[in-house]
Amino acid sequence: MAGLRIKVSDPSDAWVKAMREKYKPIAKAATKAMNQVADNIKAQGRADIIAAGFSRRWANAFRVNVYPKGQVSAEAAALVYHKVPYADVFETGAVIQGSPFLWLPLPDAPKGRGGRRIAASEYRKEIGHPLYAIKRPGKPPLLGANIKSTASRSQKGVSRSQLKRGRNPGGRGTVRLVPLYIGVPKVDIKQKFHIRAITAANAAKLAAYYYRNFLDE
């Protein structure tokens, strides 16, 4: 039997308009379902990051965007990502090797943008003074900086302004070498986030959300 081809031609575009009207409930239901899933992933993901001991700023850097933006579509999709490029190591875990050491900031290391402590490699550019090696036979090495302060001021910890002044030839007090970074051969980072599991659990609800939204249209 020969195939039957049907061609619809409607100069008034009424047929196209009718098809679009039929499409709208599907697109609306799909977009609403995707937005519901995205909202769940974002809320649960941020809560998971905070539960792992990270700051609110770190949590807010976790994003879930639905596309196409500002439109309804039967092919709506969500992009799940974190604005910090290396955040995924806290999801998968990783062993990071030093070369020969990784320099981890100590409590007196100065803070930079976003409240994080600056890396040893950034110190001279940020503060304007060099770091000095502190060798400790049988113990991890340290990197420190010279500051000048009085005994009473030393009780309050080290400020960024003190580090910028360095030895401060005209100031009061005595010069001391303050440890700022400790060197370790490697860091074993364990899994802290569960974003993939959260995403998969919510993605499994997509069909149910779609069906419910479609019935409401």
Side-chain angles (χ1 to χ4, degrees):
M1 179 178 176
L4 179 65
R5 179 178 294 179
I6 299 175
K7 182 178 181 181
V8 178
S9 178
D10 188 344
S12 66
D13 287 333
W15 183 83
V16 174
K17 183 178 179 181
M19 290 301 99
R20 285 177 178 168
E21 290 301 316
K22 293 285 187 182
Y23 171 81
K24 279 183 180 178
I26 297 172
K28 286 182 179 179
T31 303
K32 283 183 180 179
M34 189 58 70
N35 278 317
Q36 286 173 293
V37 166
D39 289 344
N40 290 348
I41 293 171
K42 182 166 66 175
Q44 294 170 23
R46 288 180 174 181
D48 185 60
I49 290 170
I50 289 174
F54 288 74
S55 68
R56 176 68 61 179
R57 184 186 295 271
W58 253 82
N60 289 342
F62 174 65
R63 305 295 174 85
V64 186
N65 294 340
V66 175
Y67 297 94
K69 288 188 174 182
Q71 302 177 40
V72 295
S73 172
E75 298 181 351
L79 175 63
V80 180
Y81 69 100
H82 199 286
K83 291 181 71 176
V84 176
Y86 57 85
D88 196 54
V89 300
F90 300 111
E91 174 73 25
T92 61
V95 176
I96 303 175
Q97 298 284 347
S99 180
F101 295 108
L102 293 169
W103 295 101
L104 306 182
L106 295 170
D108 281 330
K111 292 182 179 180
R113 184 176 299 177
R116 71 174 182 86
R117 299 195 183 276
I118 64 174
S121 59
E122 302 171 316
Y123 185 88
R124 183 153 196 166
K125 180 180 177 182
E126 289 270 341
I127 304 301
H129 298 290
L131 289 167
Y132 298 94
I134 304 173
K135 295 180 180 180
R136 305 187 301 166
K139 295 182 180 180
L142 300 171
L143 292 177
N146 284 315
I147 66 169
K148 191 173 187 180
S149 64
T150 61
S152 59
R153 180 64 185 83
S154 297
Q155 302 295 323
K156 300 177 182 178
V158 180
S159 68
R160 188 183 176 98
S161 59
Q162 279 182 305
L163 293 170
K164 278 184 169 292
R165 288 195 298 269
R167 290 176 176 272
N168 190 19
R172 295 168 50 221
T174 57
V175 175
R176 62 190 178 99
L177 185 59
V178 181
L180 300 177
Y181 300 90
I182 185 169
V184 296
K186 67 178 181 178
V187 173
D188 187 359
I189 299 174
K190 305 298 183 184
Q191 181 186 13
K192 297 179 182 293
F193 301 165
H194 307 86
I195 304 301
R196 284 178 172 79
I198 289 170
T199 300
N202 282 286
K205 301 175 184 177
L206 189 60
Y209 286 151
Y210 169 79
Y211 183 67
R212 191 182 309 157
N213 289 322
F214 185 76
L215 292 180
D216 289 342
E217 287 298 323

